[in-house]
Amino acid sequence: MAVPRVIIGEADRWTAELLGQLVRSVRGDAEIVTVHDGHAVLEQWRRQPAQLLIADFGLPDVGGLDVLREVRRQREQPPLPFFLITEKVDAASVKAAVALTPTAYLAKPFDAEDMLRRLRAVLLKPGDDPVSPLPEAELHQSLDEFLQGRRESAAGAPVLATVQSTLSQLHDTQTLDIEVLAAQFRPDPQLTAQLIAAANSAALHVGSPCQTLPQALQRLGIKHSLNLALGVTLQRGVSLQDALLVEQAQALWQTSQRLAELARWLAVRIDVDAERCFTAGLLHRLGDLALLRTLQDWCDGGGVLEEETVMRSLAQYAAPYGSALRTRWRLPLELRELIAAAYQLGSGVFSREALVVNLAAEAARSSDEQPFAGLLEHKAARMLRLDAALLL
């Protein structure tokens, strides 16, 4: 099977990544070229033939409709498959596009399952099986070299199996609302972080930045949120396979959930932003989880891990992985500062939310035998002026 070349023209980074992931799930060997304006789409198309072109109607410089017009002007036979995605569904726009015979004219937010069906029709011949992507681990490297090289490009954390199993059911639900979707996604650090990042992208950013999952879902809308979540769950390595890594991930998920719930509980009691405190607690081990996912890539490529190696890697690389992810995804600075409060307060003036997260982290680390021993003397408890009755 020849390797297909697919050109994606989409200004919004997160929608472009979603489209690329949908293509990979159909043809894992596809050469995917992602560009963000119409001039670049045409340049790539002229430089080398493609098997599929996907373009947004509203591309900067040269719009998607003009790109389609230029492609059709060449009178290729058979016509190049061309998916035009758009927010313009008025009669005049549809008529102008249909005259240029796009293979598909898809309204935003498009349906991801429908997009997958269309991609299979174009990229797979009858009887073909999707080609799975190959592991990218290069075992001539040491594990340290591998982890250092992946830090700036790590895909993020694995996704909880319970969330993955629920997602397909949510796509078929006709009466889904924001609260239901938030309840299903809320336990998962990866989906929470990526949806917040997507909601704050340049294409959607209006007003104050989103710092919580409900805010992100409200801005993205249900359909687009579901599409982005599906794209995440289709990524390679999103489910851990190695038993040692699965065990570590379960412990980290439980730690994150415990801190998040404690922070929300305390925030409600003292009347500060409980959802922000919950979010910071949930995301504070994102780097650890991202590192485990990268270690799974190492295993998939033939690498061998022992418990001591995993623990050493977490101690050495989890913090840099977390910092790189939060920066690359451009999570709001206020949220990043709140996440940092789970580790230390540092010096300066602290918000009440930061004190709550810091105290919740201390409580989460307490043993079962003495769950709140010494919390009254903790710096955050003193600054919040909490009494013993509340802590107990």
Side-chain angles (χ1 to χ4, degrees), residues 299-322:
C299 292
D300 291 344
V304 178
L305 289 173
E306 296 179 354
E307 184 174 6
E308 182 181 350
T309 307
V310 173
M311 301 311 293
R312 179 185 63 80
S313 298
L314 284 168
Q316 185 171 352
Y317 295 108
Y321 265 63

mmCIF file with all atom_site columns, all heavy atoms in Angstrom, residues 299-322:
data_model
loop_
_atom_site.group_PDB
_atom_site.id
_atom_site.type_symbol
_atom_site.label_atom_id
_atom_site.label_alt_id
_atom_site.label_comp_id
_atom_site.label_asym_id
_atom_site.label_entity_id
_atom_site.label_seq_id
_atom_site.pdbx_PDB_ins_code
_atom_site.Cartn_x
_atom_site.Cartn_y
_atom_site.Cartn_z
_atom_site.occupancy
_atom_site.B_iso_or_equiv
_atom_site.pdbx_formal_charge
_atom_site.auth_seq_id
_atom_site.auth_comp_id
_atom_site.auth_asym_id
_atom_site.auth_atom_id
_atom_site.pdbx_PDB_model_num
ATOM 1   N N   . CYS A 1 299 ? 8.938  1.132  26.136 1.00 0.00 ? 299 CYS A N   1
ATOM 2   C CA  . CYS A 1 299 ? 8.648  -0.311 26.177 1.00 0.00 ? 299 CYS A CA  1
ATOM 3   C C   . CYS A 1 299 ? 8.169  -0.815 24.819 1.00 0.00 ? 299 CYS A C   1
ATOM 4   O O   . CYS A 1 299 ? 8.559  -1.894 24.374 1.00 0.00 ? 299 CYS A O   1
ATOM 5   C CB  . CYS A 1 299 ? 7.592  -0.607 27.235 1.00 0.00 ? 299 CYS A CB  1
ATOM 6   S SG  . CYS A 1 299 ? 8.139  -0.341 28.930 1.00 0.00 ? 299 CYS A SG  1
ATOM 7   N N   . ASP A 1 300 ? 7.301  -0.034 24.168 1.00 0.00 ? 300 ASP A N   1
ATOM 8   C CA  . ASP A 1 300 ? 6.771  -0.447 22.862 1.00 0.00 ? 300 ASP A CA  1
ATOM 9   C C   . ASP A 1 300 ? 7.878  -0.598 21.834 1.00 0.00 ? 300 ASP A C   1
ATOM 10  O O   . ASP A 1 300 ? 7.752  -1.391 20.889 1.00 0.00 ? 300 ASP A O   1
ATOM 11  C CB  . ASP A 1 300 ? 5.743  0.574  22.357 1.00 0.00 ? 300 ASP A CB  1
ATOM 12  C CG  . ASP A 1 300 ? 4.472  0.572  23.192 1.00 0.00 ? 300 ASP A CG  1
ATOM 13  O OD1 . ASP A 1 300 ? 4.254  -0.401 23.948 1.00 0.00 ? 300 ASP A OD1 1
ATOM 14  O OD2 . ASP A 1 300 ? 3.707  1.550  23.099 1.00 0.00 ? 300 ASP A OD2 1
ATOM 15  N N   . GLY A 1 301 ? 8.938  0.169  22.001 1.00 0.00 ? 301 GLY A N   1
ATOM 16  C CA  . GLY A 1 301 ? 10.063 0.078  21.084 1.00 0.00 ? 301 GLY A CA  1
ATOM 17  C C   . GLY A 1 301 ? 11.063 -0.998 21.450 1.00 0.00 ? 301 GLY A C   1
ATOM 18  O O   . GLY A 1 301 ? 12.119 -1.105 20.823 1.00 0.00 ? 301 GLY A O   1
ATOM 19  N N   . GLY A 1 302 ? 10.751 -1.785 22.474 1.00 0.00 ? 302 GLY A N   1
ATOM 20  C CA  . GLY A 1 302 ? 11.639 -2.885 22.856 1.00 0.00 ? 302 GLY A CA  1
ATOM 21  C C   . GLY A 1 302 ? 12.444 -2.633 24.100 1.00 0.00 ? 302 GLY A C   1
ATOM 22  O O   . GLY A 1 302 ? 13.252 -3.483 24.505 1.00 0.00 ? 302 GLY A O   1
ATOM 23  N N   . GLY A 1 303 ? 12.260 -1.481 24.746 1.00 0.00 ? 303 GLY A N   1
ATOM 24  C CA  . GLY A 1 303 ? 13.002 -1.184 25.962 1.00 0.00 ? 303 GLY A CA  1
ATOM 25  C C   . GLY A 1 303 ? 12.490 -1.993 27.146 1.00 0.00 ? 303 GLY A C   1
ATOM 26  O O   . GLY A 1 303 ? 11.342 -2.440 27.166 1.00 0.00 ? 303 GLY A O   1
ATOM 27  N N   . VAL A 1 304 ? 13.331 -2.155 28.132 1.00 0.00 ? 304 VAL A N   1
ATOM 28  C CA  . VAL A 1 304 ? 13.000 -2.924 29.333 1.00 0.00 ? 304 VAL A CA  1
ATOM 29  C C   . VAL A 1 304 ? 13.038 -1.987 30.537 1.00 0.00 ? 304 VAL A C   1
ATOM 30  O O   . VAL A 1 304 ? 13.933 -1.147 30.653 1.00 0.00 ? 304 VAL A O   1
ATOM 31  C CB  . VAL A 1 304 ? 13.984 -4.093 29.540 1.00 0.00 ? 304 VAL A CB  1
ATOM 32  C CG1 . VAL A 1 304 ? 13.658 -4.841 30.819 1.00 0.00 ? 304 VAL A CG1 1
ATOM 33  C CG2 . VAL A 1 304 ? 13.943 -5.034 28.344 1.00 0.00 ? 304 VAL A CG2 1
ATOM 34  N N   . LEU A 1 305 ? 12.029 -2.137 31.407 1.00 0.00 ? 305 LEU A N   1
ATOM 35  C CA  . LEU A 1 305 ? 11.956 -1.291 32.590 1.00 0.00 ? 305 LEU A CA  1
ATOM 36  C C   . LEU A 1 305 ? 11.899 -2.141 33.855 1.00 0.00 ? 305 LEU A C   1
ATOM 37  O O   . LEU A 1 305 ? 11.294 -3.214 33.859 1.00 0.00 ? 305 LEU A O   1
ATOM 38  C CB  . LEU A 1 305 ? 10.699 -0.412 32.536 1.00 0.00 ? 305 LEU A CB  1
ATOM 39  C CG  . LEU A 1 305 ? 10.681 0.712  31.506 1.00 0.00 ? 305 LEU A CG  1
ATOM 40  C CD1 . LEU A 1 305 ? 9.305  1.359  31.483 1.00 0.00 ? 305 LEU A CD1 1
ATOM 41  C CD2 . LEU A 1 305 ? 11.748 1.754  31.801 1.00 0.00 ? 305 LEU A CD2 1
ATOM 42  N N   . GLU A 1 306 ? 12.506 -1.626 34.911 1.00 0.00 ? 306 GLU A N   1
ATOM 43  C CA  . GLU A 1 306 ? 12.384 -2.202 36.236 1.00 0.00 ? 306 GLU A CA  1
ATOM 44  C C   . GLU A 1 306 ? 11.841 -1.120 37.161 1.00 0.00 ? 306 GLU A C   1
ATOM 45  O O   . GLU A 1 306 ? 11.917 0.079  36.854 1.00 0.00 ? 306 GLU A O   1
ATOM 46  C CB  . GLU A 1 306 ? 13.741 -2.701 36.733 1.00 0.00 ? 306 GLU A CB  1
ATOM 47  C CG  . GLU A 1 306 ? 14.311 -3.838 35.885 1.00 0.00 ? 306 GLU A CG  1
ATOM 48  C CD  . GLU A 1 306 ? 15.667 -4.309 36.389 1.00 0.00 ? 306 GLU A CD  1
ATOM 49  O OE1 . GLU A 1 306 ? 16.196 -3.670 37.330 1.00 0.00 ? 306 GLU A OE1 1
ATOM 50  O OE2 . GLU A 1 306 ? 16.189 -5.297 35.840 1.00 0.00 ? 306 GLU A OE2 1
ATOM 51  N N   . GLU A 1 307 ? 11.306 -1.538 38.298 1.00 0.00 ? 307 GLU A N   1
ATOM 52  C CA  . GLU A 1 307 ? 10.672 -0.581 39.202 1.00 0.00 ? 307 GLU A CA  1
ATOM 53  C C   . GLU A 1 307 ? 11.644 0.515  39.627 1.00 0.00 ? 307 GLU A C   1
ATOM 54  O O   . GLU A 1 307 ? 11.277 1.704  39.666 1.00 0.00 ? 307 GLU A O   1
ATOM 55  C CB  . GLU A 1 307 ? 10.131 -1.299 40.434 1.00 0.00 ? 307 GLU A CB  1
ATOM 56  C CG  . GLU A 1 307 ? 9.385  -0.367 41.372 1.00 0.00 ? 307 GLU A CG  1
ATOM 57  C CD  . GLU A 1 307 ? 8.730  -1.091 42.526 1.00 0.00 ? 307 GLU A CD  1
ATOM 58  O OE1 . GLU A 1 307 ? 8.948  -2.316 42.653 1.00 0.00 ? 307 GLU A OE1 1
ATOM 59  O OE2 . GLU A 1 307 ? 8.008  -0.431 43.295 1.00 0.00 ? 307 GLU A OE2 1
ATOM 60  N N   . GLU A 1 308 ? 12.865 0.166  39.918 1.00 0.00 ? 308 GLU A N   1
ATOM 61  C CA  . GLU A 1 308 ? 13.851 1.163  40.332 1.00 0.00 ? 308 GLU A CA  1
ATOM 62  C C   . GLU A 1 308 ? 14.078 2.210  39.239 1.00 0.00 ? 308 GLU A C   1
ATOM 63  O O   . GLU A 1 308 ? 14.203 3.406  39.506 1.00 0.00 ? 308 GLU A O   1
ATOM 64  C CB  . GLU A 1 308 ? 15.174 0.468  40.676 1.00 0.00 ? 308 GLU A CB  1
ATOM 65  C CG  . GLU A 1 308 ? 16.257 1.431  41.159 1.00 0.00 ? 308 GLU A CG  1
ATOM 66  C CD  . GLU A 1 308 ? 17.562 0.723  41.480 1.00 0.00 ? 308 GLU A CD  1
ATOM 67  O OE1 . GLU A 1 308 ? 17.576 -0.538 41.512 1.00 0.00 ? 308 GLU A OE1 1
ATOM 68  O OE2 . GLU A 1 308 ? 18.566 1.418  41.690 1.00 0.00 ? 308 GLU A OE2 1
ATOM 69  N N   . THR A 1 309 ? 14.096 1.743  37.976 1.00 0.00 ? 309 THR A N   1
ATOM 70  C CA  . THR A 1 309 ? 14.297 2.659  36.850 1.00 0.00 ? 309 THR A CA  1
ATOM 71  C C   . THR A 1 309 ? 13.118 3.614  36.713 1.00 0.00 ? 309 THR A C   1
ATOM 72  O O   . THR A 1 309 ? 13.291 4.816  36.468 1.00 0.00 ? 309 THR A O   1
ATOM 73  C CB  . THR A 1 309 ? 14.464 1.869  35.538 1.00 0.00 ? 309 THR A CB  1
ATOM 74  O OG1 . THR A 1 309 ? 15.491 0.893  35.705 1.00 0.00 ? 309 THR A OG1 1
ATOM 75  C CG2 . THR A 1 309 ? 14.825 2.795  34.397 1.00 0.00 ? 309 THR A CG2 1
ATOM 76  N N   . VAL A 1 310 ? 11.914 3.083  36.862 1.00 0.00 ? 310 VAL A N   1
ATOM 77  C CA  . VAL A 1 310 ? 10.718 3.926  36.766 1.00 0.00 ? 310 VAL A CA  1
ATOM 78  C C   . VAL A 1 310 ? 10.718 4.983  37.858 1.00 0.00 ? 310 VAL A C   1
ATOM 79  O O   . VAL A 1 310 ? 10.455 6.173  37.591 1.00 0.00 ? 310 VAL A O   1
ATOM 80  C CB  . VAL A 1 310 ? 9.446  3.055  36.851 1.00 0.00 ? 310 VAL A CB  1
ATOM 81  C CG1 . VAL A 1 310 ? 8.196  3.943  36.926 1.00 0.00 ? 310 VAL A CG1 1
ATOM 82  C CG2 . VAL A 1 310 ? 9.353  2.121  35.652 1.00 0.00 ? 310 VAL A CG2 1
ATOM 83  N N   . MET A 1 311 ? 11.025 4.595  39.089 1.00 0.00 ? 311 MET A N   1
ATOM 84  C CA  . MET A 1 311 ? 11.005 5.546  40.202 1.00 0.00 ? 311 MET A CA  1
ATOM 85  C C   . MET A 1 311 ? 12.084 6.612  40.027 1.00 0.00 ? 311 MET A C   1
ATOM 86  O O   . MET A 1 311 ? 11.859 7.790  40.308 1.00 0.00 ? 311 MET A O   1
ATOM 87  C CB  . MET A 1 311 ? 11.181 4.808  41.522 1.00 0.00 ? 311 MET A CB  1
ATOM 88  C CG  . MET A 1 311 ? 10.099 3.751  41.803 1.00 0.00 ? 311 MET A CG  1
ATOM 89  S SD  . MET A 1 311 ? 8.414  4.356  41.582 1.00 0.00 ? 311 MET A SD  1
ATOM 90  C CE  . MET A 1 311 ? 8.325  5.530  42.930 1.00 0.00 ? 311 MET A CE  1
ATOM 91  N N   . ARG A 1 312 ? 13.259 6.197  39.559 1.00 0.00 ? 312 ARG A N   1
ATOM 92  C CA  . ARG A 1 312 ? 14.325 7.168  39.326 1.00 0.00 ? 312 ARG A CA  1
ATOM 93  C C   . ARG A 1 312 ? 13.928 8.146  38.225 1.00 0.00 ? 312 ARG A C   1
ATOM 94  O O   . ARG A 1 312 ? 14.166 9.359  38.334 1.00 0.00 ? 312 ARG A O   1
ATOM 95  C CB  . ARG A 1 312 ? 15.615 6.445  38.932 1.00 0.00 ? 312 ARG A CB  1
ATOM 96  C CG  . ARG A 1 312 ? 16.782 7.398  38.632 1.00 0.00 ? 312 ARG A CG  1
ATOM 97  C CD  . ARG A 1 312 ? 17.999 6.658  38.134 1.00 0.00 ? 312 ARG A CD  1
ATOM 98  N NE  . ARG A 1 312 ? 17.757 5.972  36.873 1.00 0.00 ? 312 ARG A NE  1
ATOM 99  C CZ  . ARG A 1 312 ? 17.764 6.599  35.682 1.00 0.00 ? 312 ARG A CZ  1
ATOM 100 N NH1 . ARG A 1 312 ? 17.981 7.904  35.616 1.00 0.00 ? 312 ARG A NH1 1
ATOM 101 N NH2 . ARG A 1 312 ? 17.560 5.906  34.582 1.00 0.00 ? 312 ARG A NH2 1
ATOM 102 N N   . SER A 1 313 ? 13.300 7.642  37.170 1.00 0.00 ? 313 SER A N   1
ATOM 103 C CA  . SER A 1 313 ? 12.879 8.500  36.061 1.00 0.00 ? 313 SER A CA  1
ATOM 104 C C   . SER A 1 313 ? 11.826 9.506  36.516 1.00 0.00 ? 313 SER A C   1
ATOM 105 O O   . SER A 1 313 ? 11.869 10.692 36.138 1.00 0.00 ? 313 SER A O   1
ATOM 106 C CB  . SER A 1 313 ? 12.328 7.645  34.915 1.00 0.00 ? 313 SER A CB  1
ATOM 107 O OG  . SER A 1 313 ? 13.320 6.781  34.401 1.00 0.00 ? 313 SER A OG  1
ATOM 108 N N   . LEU A 1 314 ? 10.885 9.055  37.339 1.00 0.00 ? 314 LEU A N   1
ATOM 109 C CA  . LEU A 1 314 ? 9.864  9.967  37.859 1.00 0.00 ? 314 LEU A CA  1
ATOM 110 C C   . LEU A 1 314 ? 10.500 11.072 38.692 1.00 0.00 ? 314 LEU A C   1
ATOM 111 O O   . LEU A 1 314 ? 10.146 12.256 38.561 1.00 0.00 ? 314 LEU A O   1
ATOM 112 C CB  . LEU A 1 314 ? 8.847  9.194  38.700 1.00 0.00 ? 314 LEU A CB  1
ATOM 113 C CG  . LEU A 1 314 ? 7.814  8.365  37.932 1.00 0.00 ? 314 LEU A CG  1
ATOM 114 C CD1 . LEU A 1 314 ? 7.065  7.429  38.871 1.00 0.00 ? 314 LEU A CD1 1
ATOM 115 C CD2 . LEU A 1 314 ? 6.836  9.268  37.186 1.00 0.00 ? 314 LEU A CD2 1
ATOM 116 N N   . ALA A 1 315 ? 11.433 10.692 39.549 1.00 0.00 ? 315 ALA A N   1
ATOM 117 C CA  . ALA A 1 315 ? 12.079 11.683 40.411 1.00 0.00 ? 315 ALA A CA  1
ATOM 118 C C   . ALA A 1 315 ? 12.869 12.706 39.602 1.00 0.00 ? 315 ALA A C   1
ATOM 119 O O   . ALA A 1 315 ? 12.915 13.894 39.942 1.00 0.00 ? 315 ALA A O   1
ATOM 120 C CB  . ALA A 1 315 ? 12.999 10.975 41.409 1.00 0.00 ? 315 ALA A CB  1
ATOM 121 N N   . GLN A 1 316 ? 13.467 12.271 38.500 1.00 0.00 ? 316 GLN A N   1
ATOM 122 C CA  . GLN A 1 316 ? 14.352 13.141 37.731 1.00 0.00 ? 316 GLN A CA  1
ATOM 123 C C   . GLN A 1 316 ? 13.618 13.957 36.670 1.00 0.00 ? 316 GLN A C   1
ATOM 124 O O   . GLN A 1 316 ? 13.971 15.114 36.423 1.00 0.00 ? 316 GLN A O   1
ATOM 125 C CB  . GLN A 1 316 ? 15.443 12.298 37.057 1.00 0.00 ? 316 GLN A CB  1
ATOM 126 C CG  . GLN A 1 316 ? 16.498 13.122 36.327 1.00 0.00 ? 316 GLN A CG  1
ATOM 127 C CD  . GLN A 1 316 ? 17.657 12.260 35.862 1.00 0.00 ? 316 GLN A CD  1
ATOM 128 O OE1 . GLN A 1 316 ? 17.756 11.075 36.205 1.00 0.00 ? 316 GLN A OE1 1
ATOM 129 N NE2 . GLN A 1 316 ? 18.558 12.845 35.086 1.00 0.00 ? 316 GLN A NE2 1
ATOM 130 N N   . TYR A 1 317 ? 12.578 13.388 36.054 1.00 0.00 ? 317 TYR A N   1
ATOM 131 C CA  . TYR A 1 317 ? 12.005 14.007 34.855 1.00 0.00 ? 317 TYR A CA  1
ATOM 132 C C   . TYR A 1 317 ? 10.556 14.464 34.983 1.00 0.00 ? 317 TYR A C   1
ATOM 133 O O   . TYR A 1 317 ? 10.071 15.195 34.121 1.00 0.00 ? 317 TYR A O   1
ATOM 134 C CB  . TYR A 1 317 ? 12.105 13.041 33.673 1.00 0.00 ? 317 TYR A CB  1
ATOM 135 C CG  . TYR A 1 317 ? 13.515 12.730 33.245 1.00 0.00 ? 317 TYR A CG  1
ATOM 136 C CD1 . TYR A 1 317 ? 14.074 11.479 33.503 1.00 0.00 ? 317 TYR A CD1 1
ATOM 137 C CD2 . TYR A 1 317 ? 14.292 13.687 32.597 1.00 0.00 ? 317 TYR A CD2 1
ATOM 138 C CE1 . TYR A 1 317 ? 15.372 11.188 33.118 1.00 0.00 ? 317 TYR A CE1 1
ATOM 139 C CE2 . TYR A 1 317 ? 15.595 13.402 32.209 1.00 0.00 ? 317 TYR A CE2 1
ATOM 140 C CZ  . TYR A 1 317 ? 16.132 12.148 32.474 1.00 0.00 ? 317 TYR A CZ  1
ATOM 141 O OH  . TYR A 1 317 ? 17.414 11.867 32.095 1.00 0.00 ? 317 TYR A OH  1
ATOM 142 N N   . ALA A 1 318 ? 9.836  14.046 36.024 1.00 0.00 ? 318 ALA A N   1
ATOM 143 C CA  . ALA A 1 318 ? 8.413  14.374 36.099 1.00 0.00 ? 318 ALA A CA  1
ATOM 144 C C   . ALA A 1 318 ? 8.181  15.885 36.129 1.00 0.00 ? 318 ALA A C   1
ATOM 145 O O   . ALA A 1 318 ? 7.320  16.412 35.402 1.00 0.00 ? 318 ALA A O   1
ATOM 146 C CB  . ALA A 1 318 ? 7.784  13.716 37.329 1.00 0.00 ? 318 ALA A CB  1
ATOM 147 N N   . ALA A 1 319 ? 8.928  16.601 36.961 1.00 0.00 ? 319 ALA A N   1
ATOM 148 C CA  . ALA A 1 319 ? 8.738  18.053 37.064 1.00 0.00 ? 319 ALA A CA  1
ATOM 149 C C   . ALA A 1 319 ? 9.044  18.766 35.752 1.00 0.00 ? 319 ALA A C   1
ATOM 150 O O   . ALA A 1 319 ? 8.246  19.601 35.300 1.00 0.00 ? 319 ALA A O   1
ATOM 151 C CB  . ALA A 1 319 ? 9.580  18.615 38.200 1.00 0.00 ? 319 ALA A CB  1
ATOM 152 N N   . PRO A 1 320 ? 10.178 18.483 35.076 1.00 0.00 ? 320 PRO A N   1
ATOM 153 C CA  . PRO A 1 320 ? 10.425 19.124 33.777 1.00 0.00 ? 320 PRO A CA  1
ATOM 154 C C   . PRO A 1 320 ? 9.371  18.782 32.727 1.00 0.00 ? 320 PRO A C   1
ATOM 155 O O   . PRO A 1 320 ? 8.991  19.637 31.918 1.00 0.00 ? 320 PRO A O   1
ATOM 156 C CB  . PRO A 1 320 ? 11.797 18.577 33.369 1.00 0.00 ? 320 PRO A CB  1
ATOM 157 C CG  . PRO A 1 320 ? 12.456 18.189 34.643 1.00 0.00 ? 320 PRO A CG  1
ATOM 158 C CD  . PRO A 1 320 ? 11.356 17.719 35.536 1.00 0.00 ? 320 PRO A CD  1
ATOM 159 N N   . TYR A 1 321 ? 8.865  17.540 32.735 1.00 0.00 ? 321 TYR A N   1
ATOM 160 C CA  . TYR A 1 321 ? 7.810  17.161 31.796 1.00 0.00 ? 321 TYR A CA  1
ATOM 161 C C   . TYR A 1 321 ? 6.545  17.978 32.052 1.00 0.00 ? 321 TYR A C   1
ATOM 162 O O   . TYR A 1 321 ? 5.901  18.468 31.118 1.00 0.00 ? 321 TYR A O   1
ATOM 163 C CB  . TYR A 1 321 ? 7.508  15.664 31.907 1.00 0.00 ? 321 TYR A CB  1
ATOM 164 C CG  . TYR A 1 321 ? 8.247  14.805 30.913 1.00 0.00 ? 321 TYR A CG  1
ATOM 165 C CD1 . TYR A 1 321 ? 9.641  14.728 30.922 1.00 0.00 ? 321 TYR A CD1 1
ATOM 166 C CD2 . TYR A 1 321 ? 7.577  14.065 29.960 1.00 0.00 ? 321 TYR A CD2 1
ATOM 167 C CE1 . TYR A 1 321 ? 10.337 13.938 30.021 1.00 0.00 ? 321 TYR A CE1 1
ATOM 168 C CE2 . TYR A 1 321 ? 8.249  13.264 29.046 1.00 0.00 ? 321 TYR A CE2 1
ATOM 169 C CZ  . TYR A 1 321 ? 9.630  13.209 29.083 1.00 0.00 ? 321 TYR A CZ  1
ATOM 170 O OH  . TYR A 1 321 ? 10.319 12.432 28.171 1.00 0.00 ? 321 TYR A OH  1
ATOM 171 N N   . GLY A 1 322 ? 6.171  18.111 33.316 1.00 0.00 ? 322 GLY A N   1
ATOM 172 C CA  . GLY A 1 322 ? 4.980  18.885 33.649 1.00 0.00 ? 322 GLY A CA  1
ATOM 173 C C   . GLY A 1 322 ? 5.109  20.343 33.260 1.00 0.00 ? 322 GLY A C   1
ATOM 174 O O   . GLY A 1 322 ? 4.188  20.932 32.688 1.00 0.00 ? 322 GLY A O   1
#
